[in-house]
Structures are given as C-alpha cells and as structure tokens.
Amino acid sequence: ACHTRHQRKKSTPHRLSARDSSILAHLDEREPVSPARLAKHLGVAASTLSEALKRLARLGFIVAPENGSTRRRTSVLLSDLGARAISDTSVLETEKLEAILNGLTRSEMKSVATGMATLGSACRSHAEGAKRRATAE
C-alpha cells in the first residue's frame, strides 16, 4: 500500500545505481561510519567500496566529517544531497505512510511500535545466530 513504482537510475535526476543506493541507505547525516565497517557490513571488498565512495563524494552525496575532504576518509556521512536522493528514489511512499500512521489511534501506534521492536530484535538474533554458525564451520 505504501510501495511506489521502481525507477531506473537513468530516469531519475540522481542517476544512482542499486549499489550506490545501497551504500547511501546505510549512511546517516549525523552518525559517521567508517568505510571499513561499511564494507564489512555490505560484504564487499574495501577497495570496491573505496572507489564507490570516491564517486559518491565527487557527486556530493557523501561528505567526510573531519574536514569535508574527499581524499582518504576515516568516516563518512550522508550529505543533504545524499539524503534527498535516497528519499527521492525510495520505493516507500513516506507521505502516504505518514498519513496512515497519523490515522492510527494511540493504542494502534503502540502496537506498531511494539511489533517493529519485536521484528528488529528477531532480526538481530537471527543475524547473530547465523554469524555464530558461520564461525563454527
């Protein structure tokens, strides 16, 4: 109900590839993340991520919080332009979702929050279990 049509990267003004979008979706405007941690999380080589980050920085989608340099980064942040690009290319219709959430009663909102917390906890437990199983093998 809150899912929009997928757009090809060439049909959007941001021209983001699926990989670019995935990287940007894992970044925050206030909390920096290290490229090494991001590469590990995404399951890509550090060199592959480094090239993608260079491109995204050149395009203005990310910034380095230390001094804004696009050279060697110890951490990266999503820029305002990057946040707009993610919002503009998201398959989630945020305005529609917001309208739906605003129509819920306080009790229903509490149920939604509880359900989301339960889902998040189950996802973390599953990921930790998978990691332990992989380590044991």
Side-chain angles (χ1 to χ4, degrees):
C2 296
H3 183 273
T4 190
R5 292 184 38 176
H6 292 274
Q7 295 180 333
R8 300 185 73 213
K9 71 176 184 174
K10 293 187 190 302
S11 65
T12 68
H14 304 292
R15 297 182 172 269
L16 291 173
S17 68
R19 182 183 70 176
D20 292 340
S21 293
S22 177
I23 292 168
L24 294 179
H26 285 84
L27 298 178
D28 188 83
E29 294 172 271
R30 292 177 289 282
E31 241 355 89
V33 65
S34 75
R37 182 173 175 218
L38 184 58
K40 183 177 180 181
H41 177 77
L42 294 173
V44 299
S47 58
T48 300
L49 182 67
S50 178
E51 287 305 310
L53 291 177
K54 285 178 190 174
R55 178 179 177 279
L56 291 169
R58 255 192 333 270
L59 295 171
F61 293 119
I62 63 170
V63 293
E66 292 79 20
N67 59 15
S69 169
T70 58
R71 295 193 184 268
R72 182 172 167 81
R73 281 172 285 285
T74 56
S75 61
V76 293
L77 289 168
L78 188 64
S79 69
D80 291 341
L81 178 63
R84 273 195 312 280
I86 287 298
S87 177
D88 291 350
T89 58
S90 173
V91 296
L92 179 65
E93 291 190 37
T94 52
E95 291 91 16
K96 190 183 282 186
L97 180 58
E98 186 175 358
I100 291 167
L101 291 173
N102 285 335
L104 297 178
T105 66
R106 183 180 291 268
S107 174
E108 290 169 330
M109 280 297 287
K110 195 171 188 176
S111 293
V112 169
T114 300
M116 294 299 288
T118 302
L119 180 60
S121 179
C123 289
R124 282 187 295 280
S125 292
H126 177 76
E128 289 167 6
K131 188 176 183 179
R132 279 193 300 276
R133 287 187 296 279
T135 303
E137 293 175 356

